[in-house]
Amino acid sequence: MLKRIIACAICLILAVTAAGCGKKNDEKSDSKILLGFSQLGSESAWRIGNTRDIEEQAVSYDISLMLENANQKQENQIDAIRRFIAYKVDVIAFSPIVEEGWDNVLLEAKNAGIPVILVDRDISTRKVDLTTCLIGADFYQEGVMAAEYLIRKADALGMEHVNIVEITGTENSTPMRQRQAGFFDTIAADGRMTVLESIDGDFLKSRGAECMRYLLKTYSDTIDVVFSHNDEMTLGALPEIEKAGLVPGKDIIIISIDGGQDAIDVLKEGRINCVVECTPKLGKALMETVLMLKAGEKVDAVIHPEEQVFSDEQDLSQLAPRGY
Ligand code: GZL
């Protein structure tokens, strides 16, 4: 009797396993391309807009999307990429939260014959043979545009000394490193410019507020400019400036990056002075690149979206809704 029960159990397990394999193969056998995307988190309106755009564009390009949110943890992104490899997706894409620590998992993807696309952010090592391309902003140029605005503003106000505090994005991330480099390289030749301190706000609204509280306590009303690496941190900093009895946009020049609707609204109110656009709408370029890769076509190594600067130098009354 026991032998018959064990035999039936083994048959049942084998039947389920076969069906399971068949399921994956059936899913793989349907003609739709399967894209695995590891999104780094949901830390900002920019990130949420980026995720939404990728989901919408996958539908419009009829590409099956497996999107996993890593909740700001690199180890979760690495695990997701390993799951995509095991699932035999056609293409892997991800937005690396930081630039280092990807070689091993990307080598696994390469050995599995799955092409990898970098979206939004870059990696620092061996990307030439481990990834096919990068679709994302020119962050260095965003830093340059922020500094060029500041130089124009200092000229217009006749400022002889400009004391700057910088609230940076996530340490060791591409946007943090390159926005800072572009900004610093551009102000380097201008003897009026002094950076009092740079502090990591991790692209988070709450950290932006904490950083601003510390900077005001440390430098008080000697601060002339806040250069913030994203709108989220800028929006966190504004109430702290006002609580200190200072008028943002007037007593302190505020320069931000991303260009989401909330930042444009406070720009129109005069509470900030400049927003450098960093579009989250990378989904169309991603899906077109996926189709090109699957068709065996050569893709560009780097795809930068067009970006502009919004500031108190312009009439923004006719600016279309930002969508993020
Ligand atoms: C930039 C992106 C940054 C945004 C932040 O492309 O990586 O991350 O500037 C987001 O808002 O958190």
Side-chain angles (χ1 to χ4, degrees):
M1 182 58 176
L2 180 60
K3 281 185 180 173
R4 288 186 62 190
I5 291 170
I6 290 169
C8 290
I10 289 169
C11 292
L12 182 62
I13 289 166
L14 288 172
V16 169
T17 308
C21 290
K23 183 177 173 300
K24 280 183 193 162
N25 291 334
D26 287 348
E27 277 186 15
K28 287 288 292 167
S29 64
D30 78 27
S31 60
K32 283 173 80 166
I33 293 171
L34 180 55
L35 168 65
F37 182 77
S38 168
Q39 180 59 287
L40 67 86
S42 311
E43 75 283 359
S44 61
W46 189 99
R47 186 67 52 200
I48 291 163
N50 178 245
T51 298
R52 183 172 58 242
D53 185 66
I54 286 169
E55 289 170 334
E56 290 171 355
Q57 292 299 327
V59 171
S60 63
Y61 278 79
D62 198 29
I63 289 172
S64 292
L65 178 67
M66 284 174 75
L67 188 146
E68 293 206 20
N69 188 314
N71 297 313
Q72 319 310 125
K73 291 186 175 15
Q74 178 174 29
E75 58 268 27
N76 291 348
Q77 289 199 277
I78 291 169
D79 290 346
I81 292 170
R82 288 200 166 111
R83 279 193 291 279
F84 297 151
I85 294 168
Y87 206 78
K88 297 184 175 62
V89 300
D90 294 295
V91 181
I92 292 170
F94 75 116
S95 179
I97 188 165
V98 292
E99 294 193 323
E100 283 76 31
W102 304 100
D103 283 9
N104 293 339
V105 73
L106 293 181
L107 197 54
E108 292 166 30
K110 180 182 170 78
N111 293 339
I114 302 175
V116 177
I117 299 171
L118 293 167
V119 175
D120 171 32
R121 299 186 181 179
D122 205 347
I123 59 174
S124 59
T125 59
R126 290 186 57 188
K127 68 179 178 180
V128 173
D129 61 350
L130 293 177
T131 58
T132 52
C133 67
L134 165 66
I135 302 170
D138 181 344
F139 300 121
Y140 183 89
Q141 187 56 27
E142 291 173 351
V144 169
M145 292 191 283
E148 287 174 342
Y149 166 80
L150 178 55
I151 290 167
R152 293 197 304 271
K153 187 72 175 180
D155 291 346
L157 296 176
M159 297 174 78
E160 291 179 3
H161 303 288
V162 184
N163 288 331
I164 304 159
V165 292
E166 182 190 31
I167 304 178
T168 76
T170 306
E171 192 179 10
N172 299 328
S173 69
T174 312
M176 177 267 166
R177 285 176 167 167
Q178 293 188 11
R179 285 170 180 168
Q180 183 174 73
F183 186 87
F184 279 38
D185 289 353
T186 305
I187 66 171
D190 189 326
R192 297 172 295 178
M193 306 288 170
T194 303
V195 178
L196 300 174
E197 187 166 350
S198 291
I199 184 169
D200 181 0
D202 204 16
F203 287 129
L204 296 171
K205 188 171 190 174
S206 56
R207 286 284 297 128
E210 286 167 28
C211 291
M212 199 67 236
R213 271 199 299 277
Y214 159 78
L215 292 166
L216 287 163
K217 183 166 173 289
T218 308
Y219 301 102
S220 180
D221 57 1
T222 64
I223 298 171
D224 298 312
V225 180
V226 173
F227 171 46
S228 166
H229 285 194
N230 87 327
D231 297 344
E232 223 65 37
M233 299 186 298
T234 302
L235 294 166
L238 291 184
E240 300 307 322
I241 294 171
E242 289 158 339
K243 279 182 215 164
L246 298 168
V247 181
K250 305 270 184 299
D251 298 329
I252 298 182
I253 297 164
I254 314 275
I255 302 170
S256 187
I257 301 180
D258 275 349
Q261 191 60 54
D262 290 349
I264 296 299
D265 290 348
V266 293
L267 174 62
K268 288 178 175 179
E269 292 164 7
R271 295 172 69 208
I272 66 175
N273 305 88
C274 174
V275 185
V276 177
E277 180 182 33
C278 176
T279 180
K281 297 172 182 172
L282 305 173
K284 180 172 170 36
L286 173 57
M287 300 309 154
E288 288 174 350
T289 303
V290 167
L291 294 179
M292 287 172 72
L293 284 174
K294 291 311 291 175
E297 296 172 22
K298 185 166 169 27
V299 300
D300 292 335
V302 179
I303 300 169
H304 283 325
E306 289 295 316
E307 298 184 323
Q308 58 188 310
V309 179
F310 304 109
S311 80
D312 54 10
E313 302 159 306
Q314 304 153 347
D315 170 10
L316 298 170
S317 58
Q318 303 307 311
L319 190 63
R322 300 292 298 152
Y324 62 100

